[in-house]
Amino acid sequence: YLTEKADAQQFTAEDENLVVGLASDAAIAIENAHLFEEVQRLAITDGLTGLYNRRHFFELAEREFERTRRYSRPLAAMMLDIDRFKRVNDTYGHAVGDEVLQALAARFRENVRDIDLLARYGGEEFVALLPEVGLESVRVAAERLRQSVAETPIETAAGPLSVTVSLGLALAAPDCQDPATLLRRADEALYKAKNAGRNRVCWA
């Protein structure tokens, strides 16, 4: 135990207060750093699902799109919408609807790669940007995701619920000038899937 200084003098109450003060300052600094990190995280993620929020997704999408164009690499977009989600909220309440959104976000994350950018786009709609992926690969990924949702009910406070999703896909073609255009095409493909009967994958 540190009961004596190096010159054999006893530690005083002043010394103890100094050490306690320094430790307190250090603890506050660490806590502030943790709070800052948490604020930073909350600024870029959706509070319910933990995915990127729409604003931050577009910031990352701009960078990825520029990289794709500079090196002439493939890039795919995937839009996902929960079929008849309003019915879930109206029947079981918004708390159960939130559980469905959280489960779908987790299912989405499980069915794409770590390098893919995922976000909650708004309401019950999600989006992914997939670098280095062509049409066939993104179609396979989307179909795998669609099946995993359709075949495995989601556990909620109201019991297991069966839901389905519709997906729209698009590729960054040479005439695609920016991420907004790419996502608009994926969104148009999503509405094709909705209009064709839901629970399916369509592409632009």
Side-chain angles (χ1 to χ4, degrees), residues 99-136:
E99 290 183 83
V100 171
L101 290 170
Q102 290 170 327
L104 257 296
R107 202 80 58 90
F108 203 176
R109 195 181 289 113
E110 291 166 2
N111 281 276
V112 296
R113 305 163 303 170
D114 290 342
I115 65 169
D116 298 328
L117 302 177
L118 300 181
R120 184 180 178 193
Y121 202 63
E124 66 273 20
E125 198 168 51
F126 299 86
V127 63
L129 207 59
L130 300 90
E132 305 291 335
V133 170
L135 179 59
E136 183 58 25

PDB file of all heavy atoms in Angstrom, residues 99-136:
ATOM      1  N   GLU A  99     -41.927  -3.968 -32.472  1.00  0.00           N
ATOM      2  CA  GLU A  99     -41.216  -5.252 -32.368  1.00  0.00           C
ATOM      3  C   GLU A  99     -40.990  -5.859 -33.750  1.00  0.00           C
ATOM      4  O   GLU A  99     -39.927  -6.436 -34.026  1.00  0.00           O
ATOM      5  CB  GLU A  99     -42.010  -6.222 -31.494  1.00  0.00           C
ATOM      6  CG  GLU A  99     -42.062  -5.873 -30.029  1.00  0.00           C
ATOM      7  CD  GLU A  99     -42.799  -6.940 -29.240  1.00  0.00           C
ATOM      8  OE1 GLU A  99     -42.179  -7.951 -28.892  1.00  0.00           O
ATOM      9  OE2 GLU A  99     -44.004  -6.757 -28.985  1.00  0.00           O
ATOM     10  N   VAL A 100     -41.985  -5.732 -34.611  1.00  0.00           N
ATOM     11  CA  VAL A 100     -41.859  -6.251 -35.971  1.00  0.00           C
ATOM     12  C   VAL A 100     -40.760  -5.500 -36.722  1.00  0.00           C
ATOM     13  O   VAL A 100     -39.923  -6.114 -37.399  1.00  0.00           O
ATOM     14  CB  VAL A 100     -43.202  -6.152 -36.725  1.00  0.00           C
ATOM     15  CG1 VAL A 100     -43.027  -6.488 -38.208  1.00  0.00           C
ATOM     16  CG2 VAL A 100     -44.236  -7.087 -36.094  1.00  0.00           C
ATOM     17  N   LEU A 101     -40.723  -4.179 -36.583  1.00  0.00           N
ATOM     18  CA  LEU A 101     -39.685  -3.395 -37.243  1.00  0.00           C
ATOM     19  C   LEU A 101     -38.292  -3.781 -36.751  1.00  0.00           C
ATOM     20  O   LEU A 101     -37.355  -3.914 -37.546  1.00  0.00           O
ATOM     21  CB  LEU A 101     -39.924  -1.900 -36.995  1.00  0.00           C
ATOM     22  CG  LEU A 101     -41.128  -1.287 -37.707  1.00  0.00           C
ATOM     23  CD1 LEU A 101     -41.382   0.126 -37.194  1.00  0.00           C
ATOM     24  CD2 LEU A 101     -40.927  -1.271 -39.213  1.00  0.00           C
ATOM     25  N   GLN A 102     -38.162  -3.976 -35.446  1.00  0.00           N
ATOM     26  CA  GLN A 102     -36.863  -4.362 -34.891  1.00  0.00           C
ATOM     27  C   GLN A 102     -36.439  -5.739 -35.396  1.00  0.00           C
ATOM     28  O   GLN A 102     -35.275  -5.951 -35.753  1.00  0.00           O
ATOM     29  CB  GLN A 102     -36.931  -4.360 -33.368  1.00  0.00           C
ATOM     30  CG  GLN A 102     -37.039  -2.965 -32.771  1.00  0.00           C
ATOM     31  CD  GLN A 102     -37.343  -2.981 -31.289  1.00  0.00           C
ATOM     32  OE1 GLN A 102     -38.038  -3.868 -30.784  1.00  0.00           O
ATOM     33  NE2 GLN A 102     -36.827  -1.994 -30.567  1.00  0.00           N
ATOM     34  N   ALA A 103     -37.386  -6.663 -35.438  1.00  0.00           N
ATOM     35  CA  ALA A 103     -37.068  -8.013 -35.908  1.00  0.00           C
ATOM     36  C   ALA A 103     -36.704  -8.004 -37.389  1.00  0.00           C
ATOM     37  O   ALA A 103     -35.784  -8.709 -37.816  1.00  0.00           O
ATOM     38  CB  ALA A 103     -38.251  -8.946 -35.657  1.00  0.00           C
ATOM     39  N   LEU A 104     -37.428  -7.200 -38.172  1.00  0.00           N
ATOM     40  CA  LEU A 104     -37.123  -7.123 -39.600  1.00  0.00           C
ATOM     41  C   LEU A 104     -35.752  -6.514 -39.839  1.00  0.00           C
ATOM     42  O   LEU A 104     -35.015  -6.949 -40.720  1.00  0.00           O
ATOM     43  CB  LEU A 104     -38.198  -6.307 -40.312  1.00  0.00           C
ATOM     44  CG  LEU A 104     -39.236  -7.102 -41.101  1.00  0.00           C
ATOM     45  CD1 LEU A 104     -38.594  -7.850 -42.255  1.00  0.00           C
ATOM     46  CD2 LEU A 104     -39.987  -8.091 -40.205  1.00  0.00           C
ATOM     47  N   ALA A 105     -35.389  -5.508 -39.044  1.00  0.00           N
ATOM     48  CA  ALA A 105     -34.063  -4.909 -39.174  1.00  0.00           C
ATOM     49  C   ALA A 105     -32.984  -5.945 -38.883  1.00  0.00           C
ATOM     50  O   ALA A 105     -31.967  -6.026 -39.586  1.00  0.00           O
ATOM     51  CB  ALA A 105     -33.936  -3.720 -38.219  1.00  0.00           C
ATOM     52  N   ALA A 106     -33.207  -6.745 -37.843  1.00  0.00           N
ATOM     53  CA  ALA A 106     -32.238  -7.795 -37.501  1.00  0.00           C
ATOM     54  C   ALA A 106     -32.163  -8.839 -38.610  1.00  0.00           C
ATOM     55  O   ALA A 106     -31.073  -9.296 -38.988  1.00  0.00           O
ATOM     56  CB  ALA A 106     -32.636  -8.452 -36.181  1.00  0.00           C
ATOM     57  N   ARG A 107     -33.303  -9.223 -39.166  1.00  0.00           N
ATOM     58  CA  ARG A 107     -33.339 -10.198 -40.253  1.00  0.00           C
ATOM     59  C   ARG A 107     -32.619  -9.638 -41.482  1.00  0.00           C
ATOM     60  O   ARG A 107     -31.903 -10.369 -42.178  1.00  0.00           O
ATOM     61  CB  ARG A 107     -34.807 -10.502 -40.569  1.00  0.00           C
ATOM     62  CG  ARG A 107     -35.087 -11.819 -41.269  1.00  0.00           C
ATOM     63  CD  ARG A 107     -35.090 -13.009 -40.325  1.00  0.00           C
ATOM     64  NE  ARG A 107     -36.025 -12.938 -39.233  1.00  0.00           N
ATOM     65  CZ  ARG A 107     -37.280 -13.384 -39.264  1.00  0.00           C
ATOM     66  NH1 ARG A 107     -37.760 -13.909 -40.383  1.00  0.00           N
ATOM     67  NH2 ARG A 107     -38.039 -13.347 -38.180  1.00  0.00           N
ATOM     68  N   PHE A 108     -32.816  -8.368 -41.748  1.00  0.00           N
ATOM     69  CA  PHE A 108     -32.149  -7.708 -42.874  1.00  0.00           C
ATOM     70  C   PHE A 108     -30.639  -7.767 -42.683  1.00  0.00           C
ATOM     71  O   PHE A 108     -29.881  -8.138 -43.585  1.00  0.00           O
ATOM     72  CB  PHE A 108     -32.624  -6.256 -42.936  1.00  0.00           C
ATOM     73  CG  PHE A 108     -32.499  -5.603 -44.285  1.00  0.00           C
ATOM     74  CD1 PHE A 108     -32.968  -4.319 -44.481  1.00  0.00           C
ATOM     75  CD2 PHE A 108     -31.920  -6.252 -45.365  1.00  0.00           C
ATOM     76  CE1 PHE A 108     -32.867  -3.686 -45.716  1.00  0.00           C
ATOM     77  CE2 PHE A 108     -31.811  -5.633 -46.606  1.00  0.00           C
ATOM     78  CZ  PHE A 108     -32.280  -4.350 -46.773  1.00  0.00           C
ATOM     79  N   ARG A 109     -30.193  -7.428 -41.471  1.00  0.00           N
ATOM     80  CA  ARG A 109     -28.762  -7.404 -41.169  1.00  0.00           C
ATOM     81  C   ARG A 109     -28.144  -8.791 -41.328  1.00  0.00           C
ATOM     82  O   ARG A 109     -27.007  -8.929 -41.787  1.00  0.00           O
ATOM     83  CB  ARG A 109     -28.552  -6.885 -39.744  1.00  0.00           C
ATOM     84  CG  ARG A 109     -27.120  -6.484 -39.435  1.00  0.00           C
ATOM     85  CD  ARG A 109     -26.976  -6.016 -38.011  1.00  0.00           C
ATOM     86  NE  ARG A 109     -27.596  -4.719 -37.757  1.00  0.00           N
ATOM     87  CZ  ARG A 109     -28.652  -4.532 -36.976  1.00  0.00           C
ATOM     88  NH1 ARG A 109     -29.240  -5.555 -36.391  1.00  0.00           N
ATOM     89  NH2 ARG A 109     -29.140  -3.327 -36.780  1.00  0.00           N
ATOM     90  N   GLU A 110     -28.888  -9.818 -40.953  1.00  0.00           N
ATOM     91  CA  GLU A 110     -28.376 -11.192 -41.030  1.00  0.00           C
ATOM     92  C   GLU A 110     -28.210 -11.671 -42.462  1.00  0.00           C
ATOM     93  O   GLU A 110     -27.447 -12.599 -42.725  1.00  0.00           O
ATOM     94  CB  GLU A 110     -29.337 -12.149 -40.303  1.00  0.00           C
ATOM     95  CG  GLU A 110     -29.364 -11.983 -38.797  1.00  0.00           C
ATOM     96  CD  GLU A 110     -30.556 -12.689 -38.163  1.00  0.00           C
ATOM     97  OE1 GLU A 110     -31.336 -13.341 -38.921  1.00  0.00           O
ATOM     98  OE2 GLU A 110     -30.731 -12.582 -36.943  1.00  0.00           O
ATOM     99  N   ASN A 111     -28.938 -11.061 -43.396  1.00  0.00           N
ATOM    100  CA  ASN A 111     -28.960 -11.570 -44.768  1.00  0.00           C
ATOM    101  C   ASN A 111     -28.150 -10.737 -45.751  1.00  0.00           C
ATOM    102  O   ASN A 111     -28.258 -10.944 -46.958  1.00  0.00           O
ATOM    103  CB  ASN A 111     -30.408 -11.677 -45.243  1.00  0.00           C
ATOM    104  CG  ASN A 111     -31.095 -12.916 -44.692  1.00  0.00           C
ATOM    105  OD1 ASN A 111     -30.973 -14.007 -45.248  1.00  0.00           O
ATOM    106  ND2 ASN A 111     -31.803 -12.760 -43.580  1.00  0.00           N
ATOM    107  N   VAL A 112     -27.373  -9.799 -45.242  1.00  0.00           N
ATOM    108  CA  VAL A 112     -26.460  -9.059 -46.110  1.00  0.00           C
ATOM    109  C   VAL A 112     -25.059  -9.114 -45.516  1.00  0.00           C
ATOM    110  O   VAL A 112     -24.855  -9.635 -44.423  1.00  0.00           O
ATOM    111  CB  VAL A 112     -26.921  -7.588 -46.292  1.00  0.00           C
ATOM    112  CG1 VAL A 112     -28.266  -7.530 -46.993  1.00  0.00           C
ATOM    113  CG2 VAL A 112     -26.975  -6.870 -44.955  1.00  0.00           C
ATOM    114  N   ARG A 113     -24.104  -8.549 -46.221  1.00  0.00           N
ATOM    115  CA  ARG A 113     -22.713  -8.596 -45.778  1.00  0.00           C
ATOM    116  C   ARG A 113     -22.396  -7.421 -44.857  1.00  0.00           C
ATOM    117  O   ARG A 113     -23.122  -6.431 -44.821  1.00  0.00           O
ATOM    118  CB  ARG A 113     -21.785  -8.554 -46.993  1.00  0.00           C
ATOM    119  CG  ARG A 113     -22.042  -9.630 -48.038  1.00  0.00           C
ATOM    120  CD  ARG A 113     -21.372  -9.266 -49.351  1.00  0.00           C
ATOM    121  NE  ARG A 113     -21.825  -7.967 -49.831  1.00  0.00           N
ATOM    122  CZ  ARG A 113     -21.281  -7.298 -50.852  1.00  0.00           C
ATOM    123  NH1 ARG A 113     -20.238  -7.823 -51.491  1.00  0.00           N
ATOM    124  NH2 ARG A 113     -21.749  -6.130 -51.224  1.00  0.00           N
ATOM    125  N   ASP A 114     -21.297  -7.539 -44.138  1.00  0.00           N
ATOM    126  CA  ASP A 114     -20.886  -6.464 -43.239  1.00  0.00           C
ATOM    127  C   ASP A 114     -20.576  -5.178 -43.991  1.00  0.00           C
ATOM    128  O   ASP A 114     -20.736  -4.082 -43.437  1.00  0.00           O
ATOM    129  CB  ASP A 114     -19.652  -6.886 -42.427  1.00  0.00           C
ATOM    130  CG  ASP A 114     -19.974  -7.956 -41.397  1.00  0.00           C
ATOM    131  OD1 ASP A 114     -21.163  -8.123 -41.064  1.00  0.00           O
ATOM    132  OD2 ASP A 114     -19.031  -8.624 -40.931  1.00  0.00           O
ATOM    133  N   ILE A 115     -20.123  -5.282 -45.229  1.00  0.00           N
ATOM    134  CA  ILE A 115     -19.745  -4.075 -45.974  1.00  0.00           C
ATOM    135  C   ILE A 115     -20.957  -3.365 -46.584  1.00  0.00           C
ATOM    136  O   ILE A 115     -20.827  -2.237 -47.070  1.00  0.00           O
ATOM    137  CB  ILE A 115     -18.727  -4.389 -47.086  1.00  0.00           C
ATOM    138  CG1 ILE A 115     -19.346  -5.284 -48.156  1.00  0.00           C
ATOM    139  CG2 ILE A 115     -17.464  -4.989 -46.517  1.00  0.00           C
ATOM    140  CD1 ILE A 115     -18.484  -5.409 -49.405  1.00  0.00           C
ATOM    141  N   ASP A 116     -22.116  -3.994 -46.586  1.00  0.00           N
ATOM    142  CA  ASP A 116     -23.302  -3.373 -47.161  1.00  0.00           C
ATOM    143  C   ASP A 116     -23.849  -2.297 -46.224  1.00  0.00           C
ATOM    144  O   ASP A 116     -23.796  -2.448 -44.999  1.00  0.00           O
ATOM    145  CB  ASP A 116     -24.380  -4.429 -47.437  1.00  0.00           C
ATOM    146  CG  ASP A 116     -23.914  -5.462 -48.440  1.00  0.00           C
ATOM    147  OD1 ASP A 116     -23.130  -5.109 -49.338  1.00  0.00           O
ATOM    148  OD2 ASP A 116     -24.339  -6.635 -48.327  1.00  0.00           O
ATOM    149  N   LEU A 117     -24.365  -1.229 -46.795  1.00  0.00           N
ATOM    150  CA  LEU A 117     -24.914  -0.124 -46.009  1.00  0.00           C
ATOM    151  C   LEU A 117     -26.409  -0.330 -45.831  1.00  0.00           C
ATOM    152  O   LEU A 117     -27.143  -0.423 -46.821  1.00  0.00           O
ATOM    153  CB  LEU A 117     -24.659   1.208 -46.719  1.00  0.00           C
ATOM    154  CG  LEU A 117     -23.209   1.561 -47.020  1.00  0.00           C
ATOM    155  CD1 LEU A 117     -23.143   2.879 -47.788  1.00  0.00           C
ATOM    156  CD2 LEU A 117     -22.398   1.652 -45.732  1.00  0.00           C
ATOM    157  N   LEU A 118     -26.860  -0.376 -44.584  1.00  0.00           N
ATOM    158  CA  LEU A 118     -28.278  -0.583 -44.287  1.00  0.00           C
ATOM    159  C   LEU A 118     -28.843   0.628 -43.575  1.00  0.00           C
ATOM    160  O   LEU A 118     -28.173   1.248 -42.753  1.00  0.00           O
ATOM    161  CB  LEU A 118     -28.477  -1.803 -43.382  1.00  0.00           C
ATOM    162  CG  LEU A 118     -27.997  -3.156 -43.888  1.00  0.00           C
ATOM    163  CD1 LEU A 118     -28.307  -4.227 -42.846  1.00  0.00           C
ATOM    164  CD2 LEU A 118     -28.670  -3.496 -45.192  1.00  0.00           C
ATOM    165  N   ALA A 119     -30.106   0.939 -43.855  1.00  0.00           N
ATOM    166  CA  ALA A 119     -30.745   2.057 -43.173  1.00  0.00           C
ATOM    167  C   ALA A 119     -32.249   1.827 -43.096  1.00  0.00           C
ATOM    168  O   ALA A 119     -32.832   1.117 -43.918  1.00  0.00           O
ATOM    169  CB  ALA A 119     -30.463   3.368 -43.898  1.00  0.00           C
ATOM    170  N   ARG A 120     -32.836   2.451 -42.080  1.00  0.00           N
ATOM    171  CA  ARG A 120     -34.294   2.563 -42.056  1.00  0.00           C
ATOM    172  C   ARG A 120     -34.621   3.805 -42.871  1.00  0.00           C
ATOM    173  O   ARG A 120     -34.236   4.910 -42.517  1.00  0.00           O
ATOM    174  CB  ARG A 120     -34.803   2.691 -40.626  1.00  0.00           C
ATOM    175  CG  ARG A 120     -36.324   2.711 -40.557  1.00  0.00           C
ATOM    176  CD  ARG A 120     -36.807   2.829 -39.143  1.00  0.00           C
ATOM    177  NE  ARG A 120     -38.258   2.883 -39.083  1.00  0.00           N
ATOM    178  CZ  ARG A 120     -38.944   3.227 -37.996  1.00  0.00           C
ATOM    179  NH1 ARG A 120     -38.288   3.526 -36.878  1.00  0.00           N
ATOM    180  NH2 ARG A 120     -40.259   3.271 -38.022  1.00  0.00           N
ATOM    181  N   TYR A 121     -35.321   3.606 -43.973  1.00  0.00           N
ATOM    182  CA  TYR A 121     -35.549   4.688 -44.925  1.00  0.00           C
ATOM    183  C   TYR A 121     -36.714   5.576 -44.504  1.00  0.00           C
ATOM    184  O   TYR A 121     -36.760   6.750 -44.815  1.00  0.00           O
ATOM    185  CB  TYR A 121     -35.809   4.083 -46.306  1.00  0.00           C
ATOM    186  CG  TYR A 121     -35.548   5.010 -47.448  1.00  0.00           C
ATOM    187  CD1 TYR A 121     -34.277   5.517 -47.689  1.00  0.00           C
ATOM    188  CD2 TYR A 121     -36.582   5.380 -48.310  1.00  0.00           C
ATOM    189  CE1 TYR A 121     -34.031   6.365 -48.757  1.00  0.00           C
ATOM    190  CE2 TYR A 121     -36.343   6.226 -49.380  1.00  0.00           C
ATOM    191  CZ  TYR A 121     -35.068   6.714 -49.602  1.00  0.00           C
ATOM    192  OH  TYR A 121     -34.828   7.562 -50.652  1.00  0.00           O
ATOM    193  N   GLY A 122     -37.651   4.970 -43.788  1.00  0.00           N
ATOM    194  CA  GLY A 122     -38.811   5.720 -43.321  1.00  0.00           C
ATOM    195  C   GLY A 122     -39.972   4.791 -43.064  1.00  0.00           C
ATOM    196  O   GLY A 122     -40.264   3.909 -43.876  1.00  0.00           O
ATOM    197  N   GLY A 123     -40.654   4.949 -41.917  1.00  0.00           N
ATOM    198  CA  GLY A 123     -41.795   4.092 -41.619  1.00  0.00           C
ATOM    199  C   GLY A 123     -41.408   2.627 -41.601  1.00  0.00           C
ATOM    200  O   GLY A 123     -40.523   2.214 -40.839  1.00  0.00           O
ATOM    201  N   GLU A 124     -42.043   1.845 -42.470  1.00  0.00           N
ATOM    202  CA  GLU A 124     -41.745   0.410 -42.544  1.00  0.00           C
ATOM    203  C   GLU A 124     -40.879   0.073 -43.747  1.00  0.00           C
ATOM    204  O   GLU A 124     -40.842  -1.068 -44.210  1.00  0.00           O
ATOM    205  CB  GLU A 124     -43.052  -0.396 -42.606  1.00  0.00           C
ATOM    206  CG  GLU A 124     -43.881  -0.195 -43.849  1.00  0.00           C
ATOM    207  CD  GLU A 124     -44.854   0.978 -43.768  1.00  0.00           C
ATOM    208  OE1 GLU A 124     -44.662   1.875 -42.928  1.00  0.00           O
ATOM    209  OE2 GLU A 124     -45.798   0.990 -44.563  1.00  0.00           O
ATOM    210  N   GLU A 125     -40.149   1.059 -44.246  1.00  0.00           N
ATOM    211  CA  GLU A 125     -39.321   0.865 -45.433  1.00  0.00           C
ATOM    212  C   GLU A 125     -37.841   0.899 -45.053  1.00  0.00           C
ATOM    213  O   GLU A 125     -37.401   1.756 -44.283  1.00  0.00           O
ATOM    214  CB  GLU A 125     -39.636   1.962 -46.455  1.00  0.00           C
ATOM    215  CG  GLU A 125     -39.186   1.638 -47.850  1.00  0.00           C
ATOM    216  CD  GLU A 125     -39.769   2.614 -48.867  1.00  0.00           C
ATOM    217  OE1 GLU A 125     -39.641   3.840 -48.652  1.00  0.00           O
ATOM    218  OE2 GLU A 125     -40.341   2.155 -49.857  1.00  0.00           O
ATOM    219  N   PHE A 126     -37.083  -0.038 -45.623  1.00  0.00           N
ATOM    220  CA  PHE A 126     -35.651  -0.151 -45.375  1.00  0.00           C
ATOM    221  C   PHE A 126     -34.908  -0.112 -46.700  1.00  0.00           C
ATOM    222  O   PHE A 126     -35.472  -0.407 -47.762  1.00  0.00           O
ATOM    223  CB  PHE A 126     -35.332  -1.461 -44.646  1.00  0.00           C
ATOM    224  CG  PHE A 126     -35.984  -1.590 -43.306  1.00  0.00           C
ATOM    225  CD1 PHE A 126     -37.273  -2.089 -43.192  1.00  0.00           C
ATOM    226  CD2 PHE A 126     -35.319  -1.216 -42.149  1.00  0.00           C
ATOM    227  CE1 PHE A 126     -37.885  -2.203 -41.946  1.00  0.00           C
ATOM    228  CE2 PHE A 126     -35.915  -1.328 -40.906  1.00  0.00           C
ATOM    229  CZ  PHE A 126     -37.201  -1.828 -40.801  1.00  0.00           C
ATOM    230  N   VAL A 127     -33.620   0.216 -46.635  1.00  0.00           N
ATOM    231  CA  VAL A 127     -32.822   0.308 -47.847  1.00  0.00           C
ATOM    232  C   VAL A 127     -31.435  -0.258 -47.580  1.00  0.00           C
ATOM    233  O   VAL A 127     -30.924  -0.192 -46.458  1.00  0.00           O
ATOM    234  CB  VAL A 127     -32.737   1.775 -48.326  1.00  0.00           C
ATOM    235  CG1 VAL A 127     -32.036   2.642 -47.287  1.00  0.00           C
ATOM    236  CG2 VAL A 127     -32.038   1.894 -49.664  1.00  0.00           C
ATOM    237  N   ALA A 128     -30.843  -0.810 -48.635  1.00  0.00           N
ATOM    238  CA  ALA A 128     -29.458  -1.291 -48.549  1.00  0.00           C
ATOM    239  C   ALA A 128     -28.727  -0.903 -49.821  1.00  0.00           C
ATOM    240  O   ALA A 128     -29.298  -0.904 -50.910  1.00  0.00           O
ATOM    241  CB  ALA A 128     -29.416  -2.805 -48.364  1.00  0.00           C
ATOM    242  N   LEU A 129     -27.470  -0.556 -49.657  1.00  0.00           N
ATOM    243  CA  LEU A 129     -26.578  -0.308 -50.784  1.00  0.00           C
ATOM    244  C   LEU A 129     -25.509  -1.389 -50.742  1.00  0.00           C
ATOM    245  O   LEU A 129     -24.844  -1.563 -49.715  1.00  0.00           O
ATOM    246  CB  LEU A 129     -25.951   1.089 -50.660  1.00  0.00           C
ATOM    247  CG  LEU A 129     -25.535   1.797 -51.943  1.00  0.00           C
ATOM    248  CD1 LEU A 129     -26.729   1.989 -52.866  1.00  0.00           C
ATOM    249  CD2 LEU A 129     -24.903   3.137 -51.616  1.00  0.00           C
ATOM    250  N   LEU A 130     -25.342  -2.115 -51.844  1.00  0.00           N
ATOM    251  CA  LEU A 130     -24.461  -3.278 -51.874  1.00  0.00           C
ATOM    252  C   LEU A 130     -23.332  -3.057 -52.886  1.00  0.00           C
ATOM    253  O   LEU A 130     -23.546  -3.195 -54.099  1.00  0.00           O
ATOM    254  CB  LEU A 130     -25.253  -4.542 -52.231  1.00  0.00           C
ATOM    255  CG  LEU A 130     -26.383  -4.912 -51.270  1.00  0.00           C
ATOM    256  CD1 LEU A 130     -27.698  -4.258 -51.695  1.00  0.00           C
ATOM    257  CD2 LEU A 130     -26.562  -6.422 -51.206  1.00  0.00           C
ATOM    258  N   PRO A 131     -22.129  -2.729 -52.408  1.00  0.00           N
ATOM    259  CA  PRO A 131     -20.988  -2.543 -53.314  1.00  0.00           C
ATOM    260  C   PRO A 131     -20.521  -3.877 -53.897  1.00  0.00           C
ATOM    261  O   PRO A 131     -20.670  -4.935 -53.284  1.00  0.00           O
ATOM    262  CB  PRO A 131     -19.899  -1.954 -52.404  1.00  0.00           C
ATOM    263  CG  PRO A 131     -20.593  -1.550 -51.144  1.00  0.00           C
ATOM    264  CD  PRO A 131     -21.782  -2.436 -51.018  1.00  0.00           C
ATOM    265  N   GLU A 132     -19.956  -3.787 -55.091  1.00  0.00           N
ATOM    266  CA  GLU A 132     -19.341  -4.947 -55.751  1.00  0.00           C
ATOM    267  C   GLU A 132     -20.332  -6.084 -55.994  1.00  0.00           C
ATOM    268  O   GLU A 132     -19.982  -7.262 -55.927  1.00  0.00           O
ATOM    269  CB  GLU A 132     -18.156  -5.478 -54.916  1.00  0.00           C
ATOM    270  CG  GLU A 132     -17.098  -4.442 -54.598  1.00  0.00           C
ATOM    271  CD  GLU A 132     -16.321  -4.003 -55.830  1.00  0.00           C
ATOM    272  OE1 GLU A 132     -16.249  -4.783 -56.802  1.00  0.00           O
ATOM    273  OE2 GLU A 132     -15.795  -2.880 -55.821  1.00  0.00           O
ATOM    274  N   VAL A 133     -21.584  -5.735 -56.255  1.00  0.00           N
ATOM    275  CA  VAL A 133     -22.621  -6.746 -56.452  1.00  0.00           C
ATOM    276  C   VAL A 133     -23.360  -6.479 -57.756  1.00  0.00           C
ATOM    277  O   VAL A 133     -23.810  -5.359 -58.014  1.00  0.00           O
ATOM    278  CB  VAL A 133     -23.621  -6.738 -55.272  1.00  0.00           C
ATOM    279  CG1 VAL A 133     -24.834  -7.601 -55.578  1.00  0.00           C
ATOM    280  CG2 VAL A 133     -22.944  -7.246 -54.007  1.00  0.00           C
ATOM    281  N   GLY A 134     -23.493  -7.535 -58.574  1.00  0.00           N
ATOM    282  CA  GLY A 134     -24.253  -7.447 -59.806  1.00  0.00           C
ATOM    283  C   GLY A 134     -25.693  -7.869 -59.601  1.00  0.00           C
ATOM    284  O   GLY A 134     -26.105  -8.229 -58.493  1.00  0.00           O
ATOM    285  N   LEU A 135     -26.463  -7.858 -60.684  1.00  0.00           N
ATOM    286  CA  LEU A 135     -27.906  -8.116 -60.587  1.00  0.00           C
ATOM    287  C   LEU A 135     -28.208  -9.504 -60.045  1.00  0.00           C
ATOM    288  O   LEU A 135     -29.057  -9.662 -59.165  1.00  0.00           O
ATOM    289  CB  LEU A 135     -28.562  -7.938 -61.954  1.00  0.00           C
ATOM    290  CG  LEU A 135     -30.074  -8.215 -61.989  1.00  0.00           C
ATOM    291  CD1 LEU A 135     -30.814  -7.297 -61.032  1.00  0.00           C
ATOM    292  CD2 LEU A 135     -30.616  -8.061 -63.408  1.00  0.00           C
ATOM    293  N   GLU A 136     -27.526 -10.512 -60.532  1.00  0.00           N
ATOM    294  CA  GLU A 136     -27.848 -11.867 -60.096  1.00  0.00           C
ATOM    295  C   GLU A 136     -27.551 -12.054 -58.614  1.00  0.00           C
ATOM    296  O   GLU A 136     -28.339 -12.648 -57.874  1.00  0.00           O
ATOM    297  CB  GLU A 136     -27.073 -12.897 -60.927  1.00  0.00           C
ATOM    298  CG  GLU A 136     -27.410 -14.349 -60.586  1.00  0.00           C
ATOM    299  CD  GLU A 136     -28.891 -14.676 -60.744  1.00  0.00           C
ATOM    300  OE1 GLU A 136     -29.586 -13.994 -61.531  1.00  0.00           O
ATOM    301  OE2 GLU A 136     -29.358 -15.617 -60.061  1.00  0.00           O
TER     302      GLU A 136
END
